[in-house]
Structure formats: C-alpha cells, structure tokens
Amino acid sequence: MRIDIITIFPQYLEPLRLSVIGKAIERGTVDLNVHDLRDFTHDRHRTVDDTPFGGGPGMVMKPEPWGEALDAALSNRQADQRPTLVLPTPSGQRFDQPMAAGLAATDWLIFACGRYEGIDARVVEHFREQVDVRELSIGDYVLAGGEAAVLVMAEATIRLLPGVLGNADSAPDDSFSPTREGAPLEGPIYTKPQVWRGLEVPAVLRSGDHGAVADWRRAQSVQRTSEQRPDLAQDDLG
Ligand code: 6GU
C-alpha cells in the first residue's frame, strides 16, 4: 500500500517509523511518503495560511500550496488508480475499526493534515474529481491539527495489512474485531508468575480446559463491555 502524508510538520509523523509499523515500512509493505506543505509555497516566508473571507477568528490554509502538493502526490498515477484522500477534521465522520479495515483494503491513501481553522474548502471540491474524499474525526474533542489524528488512523490501518502483525499479537481477537459479536471489549489477561504480590491468576486459566477458558473470557468480555461501554453492550447476552 502507498501512503502519502502532507503536513507542515513532517517530523510529527516520524513515530510511524518505530516498532511494528516501522518494520512494515522497512519491508516495503507500506510505501510511506511524507511531504512538507511549505515546499509548495513560492514566497520568502513560505506562507500557508491567510485570514478567513467573511471574518471570524483564526486563520485558514491557503488553497494554492495544497493544490500543488496534491498535484505532485498524484503525478504519474496510472489511469486506473483512484486514491482515497483522508482529511482529518473534528467535523468529519467518526473513525472506527471497520473504517480502518476499509482503508486497509485500498491501495493508496493520501492524508492531508490541516492546521489552524482548516483548509480552504475549494481544495476538496477540486480534487473530488480525482480521489475518493473521506473527512474523518478520531473522537469528540479538538486537536491542534490533523497530525496526531493521522498517526492514529495510519497505525490502525497499517497493522491490518497482511504480514504486519506476528502471531504473537493477532488481530482477530482484538477489541472491536468483527468476530467478537456483542462483546467487543477484551477482558483481563495474565502472565507468570502465578502469584504476584499475593494476587493469584484465575484458576480457570490454568485448568487446561480450553472450553472453560473460552467461556470465562467471553463472560469477562460481556461484563467489561457493559461496565465500560454500555453504549456497545448487547443486553440479550449471557
Ligand atoms: Cl481528525 N483533527 C483535529 N484537528 N481534531 C480532531 C480530530 C481530527 N479528531 C478529533 N479531533
């Protein structure tokens, strides 16, 4: 999968080069290209923002650098390629696990990180012809810019690509995995030692009875979901 990220803070995205996501980039599972929006300005101050038409507080990102940056990212594409352009914004649709899976099923993502009050709306209007546009939010709170949200969405997406996770942390059991019907949250987990500071690992997990272990985990998961996320609980489950 190819991923382009356009930002005025390229260093903000460097954490993607760490750990399991970083390995996916090194192996070539992901072709990550981070672009500095200011490289597409032409004035001495490398200006990317201006005051809003109609008045109001804050600044708006100018369309010209975005137009050039997106033209550059889209250059040399094949006629049959239609990338998905993700615009992180608190006024977008809520990003969730099925959306991560949807993004992981595409072969080219472009993330456009806005700062200030946002990007001039004509940029999306113009590029809709060439890309599938998704305006996405990671939750109901306001960040200073899209970069932190792109770290979140890119990591959630990349870890779902084939070969990115080892067997040790498999995706099918994850919280929110579609296989966890009605009880999406994972319950408690334990490792050695069997007793730590007087606290014992639940006996069922050491019983060797796989059916009993599965039943116990399911019950824990149902309980956790109803306690922590009543909005996700399906109240007809044991
Ligand atoms: Cl995607 N961007 C910004 N700036 N703030 C957010 C967000 C995104 N999602 C939640 N808050």
Side-chain angles (χ1 to χ4, degrees):
M1 155 180 273
R2 172 173 170 180
I3 298 181
D4 290 270
I5 303 175
I6 306 168
T7 171
I8 57 169
F9 297 118
Q11 294 166 167
Y12 212 123
L13 286 307
E14 284 300 297
L16 288 175
R17 303 189 190 278
L18 300 171
S19 186
V20 73
I21 306 301
K23 295 220 172 64
I25 296 165
E26 278 173 29
R27 276 200 314 265
T29 305
V30 176
D31 171 21
L32 178 68
N33 306 281
V34 179
H35 313 273
D36 187 341
L37 181 68
R38 291 192 199 276
D39 290 346
F40 301 92
T41 60
H42 303 285
D43 64 313
R44 273 204 308 132
H45 298 107
R46 314 226 294 163
T47 310
V48 294
D49 62 332
D50 205 339
T51 55
F53 271 116
M59 298 292 271
V60 178
M61 294 193 107
K62 295 165 62 60
E64 304 97 318
W66 279 107
E68 290 194 29
L70 287 163
D71 284 345
L74 291 168
S75 65
N76 311 319
R77 79 178 183 290
Q78 325 276 41
D80 64 331
Q81 281 181 304
R82 191 173 166 85
T84 297
L85 175 61
V86 176
L87 296 142
T89 167
S91 47
Q93 273 186 329
R94 175 76 70 84
F95 179 76
D96 61 11
Q97 190 65 25
M99 277 191 213
L103 297 184
T106 69
D107 56 16
W108 187 357
L109 294 174
I110 304 175
F111 291 98
C113 300
R115 284 258 146 186
Y116 318 112
E117 300 303 308
I119 302 171
D120 187 300
R122 291 169 294 183
V123 173
V124 164
E125 201 182 318
H126 174 79
F127 284 98
R128 266 189 205 293
E129 210 164 84
Q130 300 169 61
V131 298
D132 291 328
V133 177
R134 307 291 308 268
E135 296 188 83
L136 302 179
S137 163
I138 62 164
D140 293 340
Y141 39 79
V142 180
L143 301 169
E147 285 80 3
V150 169
L151 286 175
V152 168
M153 293 188 277
E155 178 169 320
T157 301
I158 294 167
R159 68 185 286 286
L160 297 178
L161 298 177
V164 173
L165 294 187
N167 231 352
D169 45 352
S170 66
D173 287 346
D174 285 348
S175 290
F176 305 113
S177 144
T179 60
R180 305 182 60 85
E181 269 188 47
L185 305 191
E186 285 189 75
I189 51 166
Y190 303 87
T191 185
K192 292 174 277 300
Q194 195 182 125
V195 182
W196 177 76
R197 298 195 178 183
L199 300 171
E200 194 145 2
V201 172
V204 62
L205 298 178
R206 296 178 281 113
S207 66
D209 180 342
H210 300 301
V213 168
D215 290 348
W216 183 85
R217 286 189 171 146
R218 176 77 187 167
Q220 292 289 314
S221 176
V222 168
Q223 186 186 331
R224 171 163 294 205
T225 303
S226 75
E227 284 172 6
Q228 305 281 46
R229 293 293 303 274
D231 57 312
L232 298 178
Q234 220 173 280
D235 42 27
D236 56 349
L237 290 168

